[in-house]
Amino acid sequence: MSQKKHPCPPEILSSDVVASSRLFTVEALSLEFSNGERRQYERVKGGGRGAVMIVPITAENELLLVREYCAGTHDYQLGFPKGLIDPGETPIEAGNRELKEEVGFGANEFVDLKTVSLAPSYFKAHMHILFAKDLYPERLEGDEPEPLVVVKWPLDDWQSLLDQSDFTEARSVAALLLLQQHLLKEV
């Protein structure tokens, strides 16, 4: 069942950059809604290229995850390989590159599970979640400051992954559930 979308977004009366860094640009928006109400909003502008997250499964029916440092929480998190789409790359090309950089495998087959957004009230960014199978060993040099720890997780035991204290990133949790939904449709 599909719900009717709102007829038109508010009019942007003005847009000003209020802060910027190497990674982020924060914009202040002055908006007027269809009922005449005016409000100020702030948003973080993305680079527009998007990102990918890859859910790889080995021939032995194991999920490949990485444990890496996350500055936002100042700890190590377990999640699926991910990264930005480079200029000129398709999501699948970026997914294959990130897979090779982060876990040392490429994939012969990708399935697009879903494109998701991250906090769309504040961020203009999207991530393509891809299922990768028919893996082959190949490593590319990545840009991580330290080697990532690759964790193999039995696909049959996917539900216990949700109980792991360091598997908390919402995009990784969503990717795992989207994979399960996809695999149920294949049966």
Side-chain angles (χ1 to χ4, degrees):
M1 180 165 129
S2 179
Q3 296 291 321
K4 186 177 179 180
K5 290 184 176 185
H6 202 280
C8 63
E11 179 183 351
I12 298 175
L13 302 174
S14 66
S15 169
D16 299 304
V17 173
V18 294
S20 63
S21 74
R22 181 177 60 84
L23 296 176
F24 303 106
T25 299
V26 180
E27 270 186 321
L29 300 177
S30 178
L31 303 172
E32 183 173 343
F33 289 80
S34 60
N35 63 357
E37 189 72 29
R38 290 184 176 204
R39 294 284 165 88
Q40 283 285 125
Y41 276 65
E42 288 185 355
R43 69 178 179 189
V44 177
K45 286 184 68 169
R49 298 188 321 249
V52 291
M53 176 173 280
I54 309 94
V55 185
I57 297 182
T58 67
E60 294 77 27
N61 253 5
E62 295 173 313
L63 296 163
L64 295 178
L65 299 108
V66 293
R67 185 171 281 119
E68 66 181 315
Y69 175 73
C70 298
T73 56
H74 189 57
D75 66 0
Y76 286 82
Q77 289 284 309
L78 184 62
F80 292 109
K82 61 190 168 303
L84 293 175
I85 298 171
D86 285 344
E89 281 184 321
T90 67
I92 289 176
E93 290 168 339
N96 213 20
R97 177 183 48 75
E98 288 292 342
L99 195 57
K100 292 172 186 179
E101 290 175 359
E102 295 193 4
V103 298
F105 284 91
N108 287 313
E109 187 176 347
F110 286 88
V111 175
D112 187 1
L113 295 176
K114 187 168 182 72
T115 300
V116 297
S117 58
L118 172 68
S121 292
Y122 301 102
F123 295 99
K124 184 180 179 184
H126 59 277
M127 175 173 269
H128 302 268
I129 299 177
L130 306 171
F131 166 32
K133 54 186 176 176
D134 191 14
L135 305 182
Y136 56 89
E138 184 177 339
R139 179 162 296 285
L140 291 175
E141 185 71 27
D143 59 0
E144 285 74 27
E146 63 183 356
L148 300 180
V149 175
V150 178
V151 175
K152 294 180 178 181
W153 198 276
L155 180 59
D156 290 342
D157 195 27
W158 69 271
Q159 287 179 309
S160 69
L161 185 54
L162 296 170
D163 297 328
Q164 296 300 302
S165 62
D166 63 347
F167 185 75
T168 63
E169 185 193 13
R171 296 174 300 177
S172 285
V173 171
L176 180 62
L177 298 175
L178 288 165
L179 173 70
Q180 290 308 312
Q181 179 185 28
H182 174 78
L183 293 175
L184 286 173
K185 289 179 184 176
E186 280 188 345
V187 176

